[in-house]
Amino acid sequence: MNEKNLSVRLGRLTLANPILTASGTFGYAQDVSELASVSGAFDLSCLGGILPKTITRLPRDGNPPPRTWETTGGLLNAIGLDNDGIDAFIAKKMPYLRSIGTKIIVSVAGRTAEEYAELASMLSDVEGVDGLELNISCPNVAHGTDFGKNPSECERLVAGVRRATKLPFFTKLTPNVTDITEMARAAEAGGSDAVSLINTLLGMAVDWKNCRPRLANVTGGLSGPAIKPVALRMVYQTYQAVSIPIVGIGGIETIDDCMEFFVAGASAVEIGTASFYRPTAAADIIRALPAAMETLHADDMQSLTGRIHS
């Protein structure tokens, strides 16, 4: 088997391989690192990149419990962007994250377009921050998807971030829209290096015996294998609509899942819910990637991306 080139370029950001861990599913990496060191499972530096839990300008307590509920083929969550704020993240989390030896792409969320730009500016000169992901698609906070549902507002927000930082960044889109390609084009027009899709689908679970919702927030974001067909369809459509790279997210557990996303149009993928029940999922996929590429006679990732369209 020929040696494979696993590196990918997402706008101005180059990754050693296309396998990332999704924000909110890998914590701030330290707990997973401790688990890996005990089990000897893998070294976090093998990952193409890590997206820590989304941070906001000020600390947030998140939503009241219960905040998660397992469903058939998926997981509902209504965490509500629980985090300690950007100052604590820079002081307490970044020292460890920058020591891992892989790309760190920080997920940020704001209440206004100006706050997104402020967060981007604050992170621009922080050692170890390689890029950003703009979370304009969280369904579990008030107005969390406003910018992800209005193309003109999305473009305005992205353009403001582009002016505020030289860091490469992705814009994470919500599937809870009529036309995902319209939002992707808006992010591209604003200057986003790539688009990440998809975030969770809005759903709910009901305790019929007690006649009440399972989540205190009533609704939550559905992730896991159940949403993969929707995510694949949106990646496929978006590949035809924009020229910037796509980061695929949604129900990815195995190398076969990854390959489906790559040939549909994704240049990279993020492993999300699978990390909860198999923390080694991302590393397992990286090990399996060269053999899968060989099956399609691909020596590099670029020649693999979007093959279904040819």
Side-chain angles (χ1 to χ4, degrees):
M1 183 171 67
N2 295 333
E3 185 174 351
K4 305 301 179 185
N5 179 7
L6 303 186
S7 67
V8 294
R9 188 169 179 83
L10 304 176
R12 290 163 302 129
L13 180 65
T14 299
L15 307 177
N17 67 69
I19 311 302
L20 305 159
T21 57
S23 175
T25 63
F26 215 67
Y28 298 102
Q30 195 154 9
D31 290 343
V32 181
S33 175
E34 292 169 359
L35 173 65
S37 65
V38 171
S39 65
F42 70 102
D43 182 343
L44 297 190
S45 66
C46 78
L47 299 169
I50 293 171
L51 285 92
K53 184 172 174 54
T54 297
I55 58 170
T56 53
R57 180 66 184 87
L58 299 174
R60 286 182 59 95
D61 290 332
N63 293 322
R67 306 198 292 190
T68 60
W69 185 260
E70 288 190 46
T71 67
T72 303
L75 176 71
L76 278 169
N77 93 83
I79 303 300
L81 300 181
D82 179 0
N83 76 103
D84 292 334
I86 189 171
D87 293 331
F89 172 78
I90 292 172
K92 298 179 181 179
K93 305 299 184 182
M94 274 308 302
Y96 172 74
L97 287 166
R98 74 170 63 100
S99 74
I100 293 174
T102 190
K103 300 293 186 183
I104 303 299
I105 302 158
V106 181
S107 174
V108 298
R111 295 167 297 179
T112 64
E114 291 71 25
E115 194 165 272
Y116 277 90
E118 180 185 8
L119 289 162
S121 178
M122 293 176 70
L123 289 164
S124 291
D125 297 319
V126 175
E127 182 186 357
V129 175
D130 298 294
L132 306 173
E133 184 174 76
L134 311 182
N135 183 356
I136 62 169
S137 50
C138 178
N140 304 317
V141 296
H143 309 295
T145 60
D146 287 359
F147 295 107
K149 292 181 176 179
N150 184 314
S152 61
E153 287 297 297
C154 173
E155 182 177 346
R156 181 176 74 88
L157 182 151
V158 171
V161 173
R162 181 73 289 151
R163 290 189 295 270
T165 184
K166 294 182 179 179
L167 287 170
F169 64 85
F170 317 151
T171 304
K172 189 172 185 178
L173 303 179
T174 176
N176 301 303
V177 293
T178 302
D179 184 358
I180 192 72
T181 65
E182 188 177 24
M183 299 309 306
R185 284 192 292 265
E188 180 178 35
S192 190
D193 288 84
V195 285
S196 304
L197 53 141
I198 56 177
N199 207 325
T200 55
L201 287 158
L202 189 61
M204 72 178 293
V206 171
D207 176 357
W208 67 267
K209 292 180 180 179
N210 292 296
C211 299
R212 64 187 182 194
R214 295 286 188 182
L215 299 175
N217 194 59
V218 182
T219 61
L222 178 65
S223 63
I227 76 167
K228 192 183 86 169
V230 177
L232 277 171
R233 184 261 296 177
M234 291 188 170
V235 167
Y236 176 85
Q237 291 175 320
T238 301
Y239 182 84
Q240 298 172 312
V242 299
S243 60
I244 57 176
I246 299 166
V247 181
I249 316 166
I252 301 170
E253 297 181 280
T254 67
I255 184 61
D256 292 317
D257 296 328
C258 282
M259 296 300 286
E260 291 173 21
F261 273 87
F262 293 143
V263 300
S267 295
V269 295
E270 295 179 19
I271 312 303
T273 303
S275 292
F276 288 137
Y277 53 85
R278 200 172 90 247
T280 63
D284 294 341
I285 289 168
I286 293 168
R287 285 191 287 266
L289 187 53
M293 293 172 68
E294 181 68 15
T295 299
L296 293 182
H297 309 291
D299 291 328
D300 57 70
M301 288 303 304
Q302 184 175 350
S303 67
L304 188 65
T305 301
R307 279 208 186 181
I308 200 171
H309 299 271
S310 59

